[in-house]
């Protein structure tokens, strides 16, 4: 089965009772021409390089379920998720647990606690020792559950076209989604093969 939209992914996760994991990733692209008026919007705030950004959704096993159409690199992860309609889908859809990193903090309140982000640090300065230990334990537990999406992104970027893209930025969304489809098919085939053995 091929999941083509975020709506189908949320329904799939809700039907199977699985946890989803989301994260944004950037793909470096050529710098826009000097005369282009929106040239600065492709500059990533994180890497200070020209990039496009896509949101990746995996299941708890790290299998890529969905890659969103690309946005310019200056778009924040949480803004991209909101524009894709993730808040509406989670608020109105099935009970699904979605793990996310700190870039998505704030979505938990908007989705009734369905998006789980790392804990907030309550003490900025002079935190008691017991609090530091508890905070680190919670942060590591969340990170160890969320690491699968990083593995899924790494598998995507093993494809040369996504390591760095020298073609036209207008075709990048189609390229990302085509590679995600091929990778999803490959991961499903590998999963079925190991189950038969």
């Amino acid at each position: 089965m091929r999941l083509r939209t975020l709506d189908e992914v949320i329904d799939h996760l809700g039907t199977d009772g699985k946890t989803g994991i989301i994260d944004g990733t950037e793909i470096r692209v050529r710098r826009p021409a000097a005369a282009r008026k929106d040239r600065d919007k492709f500059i990533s705030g994180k890497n200070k390089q020209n990039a496009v950004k896509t949101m990746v959704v995996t299941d708890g096993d790290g299998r890529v379920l969905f890659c969103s159409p690309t946005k310019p690199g200056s778009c924040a992860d949480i803004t991209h998720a909101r524009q894709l309609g993730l808040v509406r889908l989670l608020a109105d859809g099935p009970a699904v647990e979605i793990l996310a990193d700190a870039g998505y903090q704030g979505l938990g309140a908007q989705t009734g606690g369905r998006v789980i982000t790392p804990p907030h640090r309550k003490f900025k300065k002079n935190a008691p020792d017991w609090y530091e230990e508890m905070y680190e334990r919670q942060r590591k537990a969340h990170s160890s559950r969320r690491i699968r999406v990083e593995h899924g992104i790494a598998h995507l970027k093993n494809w040369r076209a996504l390591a760095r893209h020298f073609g036209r930025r207008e075709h990048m969304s189609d390229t990302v989604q085509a590679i995600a489809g091929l990778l999803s098919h490959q991961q499903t085939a590998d999963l079925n093969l190991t189950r038969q053995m």
Side-chain angles (χ1 to χ4, degrees):
M1 182 179 72
R2 178 87 174 94
L3 303 172
R4 300 183 192 283
T5 64
L6 194 56
D7 198 355
E8 291 176 0
V9 170
I10 299 300
D11 285 342
H12 169 72
L13 291 172
T15 303
D16 292 353
K18 292 184 175 180
T19 297
I21 312 170
I22 61 171
D23 198 9
T25 187
E26 294 178 350
I27 301 158
R28 287 182 62 193
V29 293
R30 287 182 306 123
R31 190 173 187 190
R36 190 167 170 167
K37 66 178 184 336
D38 57 352
R39 185 180 195 197
D40 291 342
K41 79 177 185 179
F42 285 96
I43 297 176
S44 162
K46 182 167 64 173
N47 294 329
K48 307 292 189 254
Q49 295 174 342
N50 289 280
V52 292
K53 184 174 283 189
T54 185
M55 187 179 81
V56 178
V57 182
T58 66
D59 60 12
D61 298 324
R63 195 164 65 92
V64 175
L65 300 176
F66 176 76
C67 279
S68 71
T70 58
K71 290 278 185 185
S74 62
C75 181
D77 288 350
I78 193 168
T79 304
H80 193 182
R82 286 177 180 144
Q83 288 173 352
L84 289 169
L86 183 65
V87 174
R88 178 188 50 78
L89 290 172
L90 291 175
D92 299 339
V96 176
E97 178 184 58
I98 303 286
L99 300 177
D101 64 5
Y104 295 92
Q105 275 179 337
L107 282 186
Q110 295 175 346
T111 58
R114 292 180 180 171
V115 175
I116 300 167
T117 55
H120 287 284
R121 184 182 284 276
K122 291 184 174 49
F123 294 93
K124 296 285 185 190
K125 297 179 183 175
N126 304 324
D129 290 339
W130 64 267
Y131 177 77
E132 284 295 326
E133 290 174 21
M134 181 185 74
Y135 174 78
E136 280 301 311
R137 193 169 51 248
Q138 289 174 343
R139 191 185 63 75
K140 283 182 181 177
H142 180 81
S143 179
S144 66
R145 289 184 68 201
R146 205 191 65 78
I147 194 68
R148 298 290 187 186
V149 74
E150 303 295 347
H151 297 163
I153 289 170
H155 288 304
L156 271 175
K157 290 196 173 177
N158 281 342
W159 293 71
R160 190 171 184 181
L162 299 186
R164 182 165 182 191
H165 187 70
F166 291 105
R168 297 182 62 86
R169 289 175 302 282
E170 294 80 14
H171 303 306
M172 196 63 202
S173 287
D174 295 334
T175 304
V176 168
Q177 291 176 335
I179 291 173
L182 290 170
L183 180 63
S184 178
H185 177 73
Q186 179 187 21
Q187 289 172 333
T188 304
D190 291 346
L191 191 63
N192 291 337
L193 186 64
T194 55
R195 285 183 180 160
Q196 290 173 0
M197 292 182 165

